[in-house]
Each structure stands twice: as C-alpha cells, then as structure tokens.
C-alpha cells in the first residue's frame, strides 16, 4: 500500500532522544514528536476515551470495535466512494508524548504514545485498507495536533466495500505478554528463554510485537547478559513471524547482528 505524508503540527514540536525499547524507524523514514498537554489518564487509550469518527456525507462507514485484551482494533467497512477521509482523534494521558513516523518503503505509519519519562504506553497503527478484491487502497495521512486524518484515494478501479482497520496496541507489563522469561545456558552459550502468551497468534500481532519487545527490553536490559540488542530484536521478531506455534523461544545475544531478512533466512538463528 503506497502512502504519502504531510504534517500540520498544531502543538510544540520537540527534538528529544529516543530511549524506549520499541524499534526505531528504518533509514529513510520521517519522524515527528509532539508534546501533549492532555487531562486524561492511561485509560484514555482504550475505547472509553478514544474517539474515531468519519468525515463523509452519508452514514458510511460501518465501524466496529474488537478488544482482544492486548489491543483495540477499529474495524471499518466503507461501502461507497462518498467517504473520502477518516479522522482518528487521540485522547492522551497528561504530559504524554505522541511520536509519529512514516516509512513508505515498509508501508508503515506508526504512532507511539510515551509518558514524560519516555516509557512506552501504546503503539497505534496507521489505517490499512483494501478493496473487495483484496487490492491495497492508497491513503495519505495528515497529523494536526492529536488528530490524524487519513485521506482515501477513491480511484475508479476500486471495488466496494473497502475493509480496513486501525490497531491500538497497549503497552502492558512483561507478565502480560510472557508466561516466563529467564537467562539460561545452553550448549552454544547463554540464551534468553521466553514463553510468550497468546498475543503471538493474534491477527494484529505485528503491532503487539513492538510493545511486547519493549517489555522484554525493560525486563532484561539491565542484566549482565544483555548486549547486541538489534540482533536480539530481529531474533524476537523472527520467532513471532515464523515460530509462533513454538512453546519456547530462545534469543542469543552472541549471534551476529545480520539484519531481519538474513535472520529469517537463518531460521531465526544466524551464525
């Protein structure tokens, strides 16, 4: 899905170091950080205080909410080309930071919400749309303060209805994403053994992977065995994507940092 990006920032833009455990955007992406002076608690992230609405001249689209315990999915069914945009208004915790980056090469628009101490609170996906034939629908996103507007390219070739979603992944604690985690010694060397919970098999696990990894970083980055964080993250992502049915995952810091693709070709165990 091709996307273009424009920014209309109504709040103060800050230049701050990125210090959370979530992944940095890839080279070539753009990043914007906005200071938020809200009055909401963290419970503003779920449905109760997060408002999604559409700008259209009809009752379109049908909007449903699905909460699987790890995140909230806003599901859209757009039935006609009379809908030209979807607005997503973010009600955020007081003194939080909204970070938005777009990586067109990876078809990835992502919003991160952090508290004033740069601890991750939630990750919010961009709008993903496809038509009735499974064709990706081109969108562009504009961020105005804490309102994201997703413009829809209603081309003549699209077949309606359009199906899409926006996913809000909650940054819970380590024990919410993993049954257990510990450093062990195997024949080849030290290994971080993780027993992941059911999020790894959820349809929206792409967004959950990021917040789950952030909890791993928080839990283990202060230990003596922690190094080669990029390599560990690639191994983690590889296990989520291709070994989700396994009961235990083993991440080894001594394995070389070869990048995600090479890690996948090495069956998550580069050497």
């Amino acid at each position: 899905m091709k996307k273009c990006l424009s920014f209309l920032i109504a709040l103060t833009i800050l230049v701050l170091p990125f210090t959370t455990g979530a992944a940095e955007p890839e080279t070539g992406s753009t990043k914007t950080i906005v200071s938020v002076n809200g009055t909401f608690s963290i419970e503003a992230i779920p449905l109760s205080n997060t408002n999604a609405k559409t700008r259209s001249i009809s009752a379109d689209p049908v909007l449903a909410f699905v909460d699987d315990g790890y995140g909230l999915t806003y599901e859209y069914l757009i039935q006609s080309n009379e809908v030209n945009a979807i607005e997503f208004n973010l009600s955020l915790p007081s003194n939080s930071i909204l970070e938005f980056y777009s990586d067109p090469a990876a078809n990835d628009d992502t919003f991160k919400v952090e508290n004033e101490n740069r601890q991750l609170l939630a990750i919010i996906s961009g709008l993903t749309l496809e038509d009735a034939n499974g064709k990706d629908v081109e969108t562009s996103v504009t961020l105005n303060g804490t309102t994201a507007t997703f413009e829809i390219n209603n081309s003549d070739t699209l077949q309606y209805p359009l199906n899409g979603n926006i996913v809000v992944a909650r940054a819970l604690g380590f024990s919410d994403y993993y049954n257990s985690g510990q450093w062990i010694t195997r024949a080849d060397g030290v290994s971080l053994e993780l027993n992941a919970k059911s999020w790894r098999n959820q349809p929206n696990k792409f967004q959950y992977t990021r917040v789950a990894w952030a909890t791993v970083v928080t839990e283990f980055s202060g230990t003596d065995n922690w190094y080669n964080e990029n390599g560990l993250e690639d191994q983690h992502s590889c296990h989520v994507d291709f070994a989700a049915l396994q009961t235990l995952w083993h991440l080894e810091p001594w394995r070389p940092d070869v990048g995600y693709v090479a890690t996948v070709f090495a069956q998550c165990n580069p050497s």
Side-chain angles (χ1 to χ4, degrees):
M1 177 170 55
K2 297 180 179 178
K3 297 185 179 182
C4 56
L5 173 68
S6 61
F7 291 107
L8 296 175
I9 304 302
L11 301 179
T12 305
I13 298 178
L14 305 177
V15 180
L16 296 174
F18 183 85
T19 57
T20 70
E24 276 275 28
E26 298 292 333
T27 302
S29 65
T30 58
K31 183 167 76 170
T32 300
I33 301 176
V34 180
S35 175
V36 179
N37 290 318
T39 57
F40 299 97
S41 68
I42 184 58
E43 294 304 317
I45 296 300
L47 174 62
S48 58
N49 282 315
T50 302
N51 177 38
K53 65 179 183 179
T54 63
R55 186 175 78 236
S56 67
I57 60 174
S58 70
D60 243 358
V62 176
L63 176 62
F65 304 94
V66 178
D67 191 335
D68 60 15
Y70 294 101
L72 184 68
T73 300
Y74 296 80
E75 297 183 342
Y76 296 91
L77 180 64
I78 301 174
Q79 303 179 76
S80 73
N81 61 7
E82 293 180 334
V83 176
N84 56 21
I86 290 177
E87 290 184 350
F88 198 79
N89 299 322
L90 306 173
S91 298
L92 302 175
S94 180
N95 299 320
S96 62
I97 297 168
L98 173 64
E99 180 176 299
F100 172 68
Y101 69 82
S102 177
D103 187 354
N107 297 323
D108 184 13
D109 291 334
T110 300
F111 301 82
K112 293 177 185 173
V113 183
E114 299 171 331
N115 66 17
E116 56 189 343
N117 296 319
R118 299 311 300 254
Q119 294 174 318
L120 185 66
L121 301 179
I123 289 181
I124 305 169
S125 73
L127 173 66
T128 301
L129 278 178
E130 62 179 31
D131 73 358
N133 292 330
K135 177 183 176 182
D136 288 339
V137 178
E138 183 177 340
T139 64
S140 61
V141 57
T142 299
L143 182 63
N144 186 358
T146 56
T147 297
T149 301
F150 299 92
E151 301 285 345
I152 301 169
N153 181 8
N154 291 318
S155 68
D156 295 335
T157 61
L158 293 181
Q159 298 296 314
Y160 287 83
L162 310 181
N163 291 277
N165 64 58
I166 296 173
V167 180
V168 179
R170 302 183 181 96
L172 305 173
F174 177 82
S175 62
D176 294 300
Y177 285 94
Y178 301 91
N179 293 306
S180 63
Q182 61 180 333
W183 290 107
I184 64 172
T185 300
R186 308 177 78 191
D188 295 333
V190 68
S191 175
L192 178 58
E193 183 180 83
L194 299 174
N195 185 340
K197 292 187 175 181
S198 62
W199 62 268
R200 70 191 192 280
N201 292 313
Q202 298 293 336
N204 298 310
K205 67 180 182 180
F206 173 73
Q207 297 300 331
Y208 299 164
T209 301
R210 299 183 177 192
V211 292
W213 174 248
T215 70
V216 173
V217 174
T218 300
E219 187 77 7
F220 293 100
S221 61
T223 61
D224 293 338
N225 293 322
W226 186 270
Y227 62 95
N228 185 21
E229 185 170 317
N230 289 336
L232 286 172
E233 182 176 7
D234 287 336
Q235 292 175 50
H236 180 268
S237 297
C238 182
H239 280 82
V240 176
D241 293 339
F242 299 100
L245 296 180
Q246 291 184 4
T247 303
L248 295 177
W249 300 339
H250 292 98
L251 315 181
E252 286 93 8
W254 48 267
R255 293 190 181 277
D257 178 10
V258 295
Y260 174 74
V261 174
T263 299
V264 170
F265 277 107
Q267 297 182 327
C268 305
N269 298 307
S271 59

